[in-house]
Amino acid sequence: MTPLIAHLSTTVSAPQAPTWVRLTELGAAVLFILALKGLSSPKSARRGNLLGALGAGVATVVIFFYGTEYYGEGLSNLKGNLPFILLAITIGSLIGWIAAKRVQMTQMPQMVALFNGVGGGAAAVVSVVEFSAPTANESKAALAATVFTVLVGAVSFSGSILTFMKLQELMTSRPVVLPLGRYITSLAGIGTIAAAILLVVDPTNTLLYVLLGMSLLMGLLLVLPVGGADVPIVISLLNAFTGLSVAASGYVLGNTLLIVAGTLVGASGTLLTRMMAAAMGRPLTNTLFGAFTAKAITASGTTEDRPVKSASPDDVAIMLSYARKVIIVPGYGLAVAQAQNTIRELVELLSAKGIQVDYAIHPVAGRMPGHMNVLLAEANVPYDQLKEMDEINPEFAEADVALVVGANDVVNPAARDDKTAPIYGMPILNVDQAGQVVFLKRSMRPGFAGIENELLFDPKTSLLFGDAKETLTKVVSAVKGL
Amino acid sequence: MDAISLLTIFILSIFVGIEVVSKVSAVLHTPLMSGANAIHGVVLVGAILVTGQSDKYSLGFFLGLGAIVLAAINMVGGFVVTDRMLEMFKPKAPKKDEA
């Protein structure tokens, strides 16, 4: 095995950076903790994020001051690689900056998935390079950490890329279950772990590439059967994976800051994933492997032919204008149609008529938990009109009209009543208890999770077909004309 | 630093990580995930380290540079997109007809 790096003493025996550099890194670690703390509360969230960015920036600068003993040939030199390193940082930063600035808020979840994926990829590559530069005193523990980074980083990379493709609708967002999928996944899992263990026992480059390939495959197999509304939970899980992978790479490199930062993300990410799964009312294992056991959802043709009651924008305008209490249920369809401003206009008109209007926000409305709050905040919808599920659910029985705009799964009574439904157990908004229900939909197509919604065929339900923005604009002018 | 010290740091960081986010409201799940995602972009530091120790034009050199690009995308993109999300959480002055 030819070492890629001539001399690199790793982990526990790594030479230390100057004291001031290490103290600065301690400061960066504290900034990361404050960042996560800040991000947990609405008031301090933005400052928290900026503190995190400051910590990351500081850490990136001081790494160049690790000095002669660490780099072997000194700071100004870095084996003559400094210009290339700076160029690579600039390129990466520019790509990240532009992508983050350009992405539309509706496409944010897949952007986060993509960023997470490249981070996991970076951690894996760092460890591949590290692996190929063994030193005589390298411990098995360090080797295990290296192998762990490669495995988890690669899973995170390929899994995140596939998640991105699902959300970007470059492929179906439905669960994909391969024939014998459960066995293939189990076999691949066992094989990957076996390769990892063998690699620790007897490190060879060939086996490393085998492990890399199998880990990438594992990432795909893990995400393929996850569908619809569960995809965000997987992003969060892969995010935690990348964190752990980064922590392990910190152990390999003997870098405390990487250990702290990676572990913080790994731990908080795991907790966050569990909270998200809880919001969907199902354990995490169900999210990941549910598709293997769930009965195939047959979109039977019979339901398509059943009669539905459709309404015109004028009908809806009258219905709304003569109500006392209206609850709006915004969904992803609203955001896709860029109709947030139109719905705000409608709400303002109705409020001016003395009608009580509230927005009912399901925890996973949109494509990620909290996504809908972000999308509506973008359209200057006041906070106090947004009501969370537990707060608004008792009020549906008193509401005259529930207006569902581009949402489907989060109001599907099947989640409450039908034990065989794949979304059974997910808490829903009790729209079916309102006096009248109006759905603004593009078509009869089922929602993201691909499940038929019985509520659409209920006698008290009216459907207004069309693009959410167009139809809402018509409703607004009809309300004005009354 | 010896292995036990590193292990100590690791274990304590787990508790801190869990503790600091334990009270987050559902509204902030997405920004929190995105912000945490940006923080692990600090693997950039590791990528710089291995590249700085690789011989020029070796395989490790090119892989290292690739890792730097990926990590920088993760870090910079992550913080910027999180900031964009959180920008909207500012308390709004009563300005209505802006958009």
Side-chain angles (χ1 to χ4, degrees):
Chain A
M1 174 166 49
T2 4
L4 296 177
I5 304 173
H7 172 73
L8 173 60
S9 45
T10 51
T11 68
V12 283
S13 58
Q16 299 303 344
T19 308
W20 74 268
V21 169
R22 304 197 66 214
L23 284 174
T24 315
E25 287 190 331
L26 173 62
V30 172
L31 284 173
F32 288 151
I33 295 173
L34 293 176
L36 288 176
K37 184 83 193 156
L39 280 165
S40 304
S41 152
K43 276 181 193 158
S44 55
R46 197 166 183 207
R47 194 185 56 208
N49 182 54
L50 293 178
L51 287 177
L54 179 66
V58 166
T60 309
V61 171
V62 298
I63 197 70
F64 291 104
F65 294 91
Y66 262 41
T68 318
E69 56 187 307
Y70 200 98
Y71 286 113
E73 294 185 27
L75 157 73
S76 59
N77 192 320
L78 300 183
K79 299 203 168 193
N81 292 347
L82 186 61
F84 297 95
I85 291 175
L86 293 178
L87 182 68
I89 295 176
T90 311
I91 292 172
S93 304
L94 274 178
I95 295 174
W97 179 282
I98 291 169
K101 280 286 180 194
R102 287 209 172 159
V103 65
Q104 291 189 358
M105 278 297 141
T106 46
Q107 296 178 332
M108 217 169 42
Q110 50 264 51
M111 197 78 239
V112 175
L114 202 58
F115 287 152
N116 178 56
V118 295
V125 172
V126 165
S127 280
V128 167
V129 178
E130 188 61 32
F131 177 89
S132 313
T135 47
N137 63 350
E138 184 150 34
S139 66
K140 285 290 177 203
L143 200 54
T146 312
V147 169
F148 179 85
T149 315
V150 173
L151 199 171
V152 178
V155 166
S156 184
F157 176 76
S158 63
S160 298
I161 301 297
L162 191 65
T163 311
F164 170 80
M165 289 173 63
K166 283 193 175 204
L167 288 170
Q168 192 71 29
E169 289 172 8
L170 296 173
M171 61 174 287
T172 173
S173 62
R174 303 277 176 83
V176 177
V177 182
L178 302 172
L180 300 173
R182 203 194 310 199
Y183 303 101
I184 296 176
T185 308
S186 308
L187 266 181
I190 294 168
T192 311
I193 291 168
I197 293 172
L198 272 179
L199 197 54
V200 176
V201 176
D202 178 26
T204 64
N205 269 341
T206 321
L207 199 51
L208 176 75
Y209 295 126
V210 170
L211 177 71
L212 192 60
M214 294 204 65
S215 307
L216 290 171
L217 179 69
M218 248 343 265
L220 300 180
L221 289 174
L222 204 62
V223 176
L224 267 178
V226 179
D230 289 334
V231 172
I233 298 176
V234 174
I235 301 181
S236 177
L237 184 69
L238 293 174
N239 185 37
F241 275 14
T242 307
L244 290 177
S245 163
V246 169
S249 79
Y251 184 81
V252 177
L253 296 167
N255 187 298
T256 324
L257 179 61
L258 285 185
I259 298 182
V260 174
T263 310
L264 284 175
V265 177
S268 60
T270 306
L271 181 64
L272 187 58
T273 309
R274 292 191 52 185
M275 290 197 276
M276 286 184 183
M280 300 289 284
R282 44 210 295 224
L284 188 55
T285 44
N286 204 333
T287 306
L288 289 176
F289 307 115
F292 288 135
T293 46
K295 295 198 176 61
I297 314 147
T298 43
S300 51
T302 51
T303 50
E304 304 281 323
D305 308 329
R306 288 158 61 189
V308 292
K309 195 165 79 186
S310 53
S312 73
D314 292 318
D315 299 336
V316 175
I318 291 168
M319 222 185 275
L320 291 172
S321 300
Y322 292 97
R324 276 168 297 122
K325 184 176 169 65
V326 172
I327 298 178
I328 313 261
V329 180
Y332 188 68
L334 172 91
V336 168
Q338 296 286 318
Q340 300 98 306
N341 284 306
T342 325
I343 193 87
R344 178 178 51 85
E345 202 186 338
L346 178 65
V347 170
E348 281 166 7
L349 273 172
L350 295 175
S351 301
K353 287 176 184 277
I355 302 165
Q356 191 198 343
V357 192
D358 290 302
Y359 295 86
I361 310 292
H362 190 275
V364 293
R367 289 271 159 103
M368 271 180 145
H371 195 188
M372 189 49 63
N373 301 70
V374 174
L375 296 170
L376 289 176
E378 192 183 26
N380 287 324
V381 171
Y383 255 144
D384 47 9
Q385 290 180 355
L386 307 185
K387 296 210 174 152
E388 293 196 19
M389 183 173 63
D390 295 337
E391 191 187 351
I392 195 92
N393 257 348
E395 294 186 26
F396 275 105
E398 302 154 22
D400 302 302
V401 183
L403 178 64
V404 183
V405 189
N408 197 346
D409 297 331
V410 296
V411 298
N412 192 339
R416 202 181 48 211
D417 308 328
D418 180 4
K419 285 206 166 93
T420 62
I423 56 167
Y424 179 73
M426 181 174 91
I428 57 157
L429 293 164
N430 296 326
V431 167
D432 53 337
Q433 293 171 2
Q436 285 180 301
V437 184
V438 180
F439 273 90
L440 255 65
K441 282 175 72 65
R442 262 199 305 209
S443 67
M444 282 300 284
R445 224 165 59 113
F448 199 37
I451 306 151
E452 201 66 63
N453 190 346
E454 281 300 317
L455 189 55
L456 295 177
F457 307 102
D458 195 288
K460 68 179 176 189
T461 301
S462 313
L463 291 129
L464 180 51
F465 287 112
D467 174 78
K469 187 167 189 171
E470 265 172 46
T471 43
L472 274 175
T473 311
K474 283 181 195 155
V475 174
V476 165
S477 52
V479 170
K480 277 182 185 159
L482 279 172
Chain B
M1 199 181 295
D2 65 286
I4 297 299
S5 305
L6 295 178
L7 188 65
T8 308
I9 292 169
F10 172 67
I11 300 290
L12 294 182
S13 300
I14 292 179
F15 282 93
V16 175
I18 290 175
E19 188 55 37
V20 288
V21 302
S22 60
K23 290 188 190 77
V24 63
S25 76
V27 180
L28 282 171
H29 279 175
T30 295
L32 177 64
M33 187 212 293
S34 181
N37 174 48
I39 287 177
H40 67 52
V42 78
V43 70
L44 174 62
V45 164
I48 294 171
L49 273 180
V50 296
T51 313
Q53 292 161 325
S54 299
D55 291 320
K56 197 179 281 179
Y57 309 130
S58 67
L59 180 57
F61 170 81
F62 290 112
L63 287 177
L65 287 179
I68 291 179
V69 173
L70 294 181
I73 292 175
N74 182 189
M75 185 196 276
V76 175
F79 284 118
V80 172
V81 87
T82 311
D83 190 61
R84 272 192 63 195
M85 285 179 213
L86 293 170
E87 200 177 10
M88 300 160 197
F89 281 75
K90 278 183 306 195
K92 290 269 187 302
K95 43 163 186 179
K96 286 194 170 175
D97 293 308
E98 185 197 331

